[in-house]
Amino acid sequence: NESDSDTFKSIYDLEKIRSLYSNLDTISFWKIKDQINILEQRGYSTKEMQGKFQKAISYPFFLVSMVLLAGVFTLGKQYKESNWMYVFMSIFSCILIYFCSDFSLALGKTGKLPIEMAVWMPVLIVFVFSFVGLIHVNQK
């Protein structure tokens, strides 16, 4: 029976599980899929880990979309009189995008949206608006 208790301890090591959920930034990107599979087999919720994994994959695309958005604000600058208003609008839009992205991720973690949709939707929306804005600014 001692081997059964050792097996039970190794499968349900509470300290290891607590350490996984206490700081998800310490988990390697390359090992997160394995950790998700292990925790799903044990019956634990993996929404936060899946959110972190999807966010890590979408982050380069998010950065590209933010660069495109910066292009919209800087390329149209020559047609605007007030540079301060342009700076204020760009900072406000970036803050709005940041909070909408976090809100969407929270909806995914609670199960209101699928986690993939919750992570990728803000990235795609910003990308589409930035791309359309660049086309519009380029046509002026």
Side-chain angles (χ1 to χ4, degrees), residues 55 61-63 65-70 72-73 89-105 118-119 121-130:
K55 196 142 178 109
F61 299 102
F62 182 71
L63 291 178
S65 66
M66 292 302 283
V67 168
L68 291 175
L69 184 65
V72 170
F73 285 114
M89 284 176 34
S90 63
I91 291 173
F92 181 75
S93 67
C94 289
I95 291 170
L96 184 69
I97 290 167
Y98 176 78
F99 283 116
C100 287
S101 176
D102 278 355
F103 179 69
S104 176
L105 187 59
V119 171
M121 187 174 48
V123 174
L124 292 175
I125 289 171
V126 171
F127 186 78
V128 167
F129 279 126
S130 300

Side-chain angles (χ1 to χ4, degrees), residues 23-74:
N23 190 1
L24 291 178
D25 293 330
T26 60
I27 299 173
S28 170
F29 172 76
W30 305 108
K31 295 181 181 180
I32 197 164
K33 268 305 221 190
D34 296 332
Q35 294 293 332
I36 289 172
N37 291 336
I38 290 170
L39 289 175
E40 279 179 346
Q41 289 173 357
R42 294 179 184 167
Y44 291 101
S45 174
T46 59
K47 293 225 183 253
E48 285 190 44
M49 292 180 117
Q50 289 174 348
K52 179 180 173 26
F53 181 70
Q54 290 295 323
K55 196 142 178 109
I57 293 172
S58 71
Y59 193 66
F61 299 102
F62 182 71
L63 291 178
V64 167
S65 66
M66 292 302 283
V67 168
L68 291 175
L69 184 65
V72 170
F73 285 114
T74 56

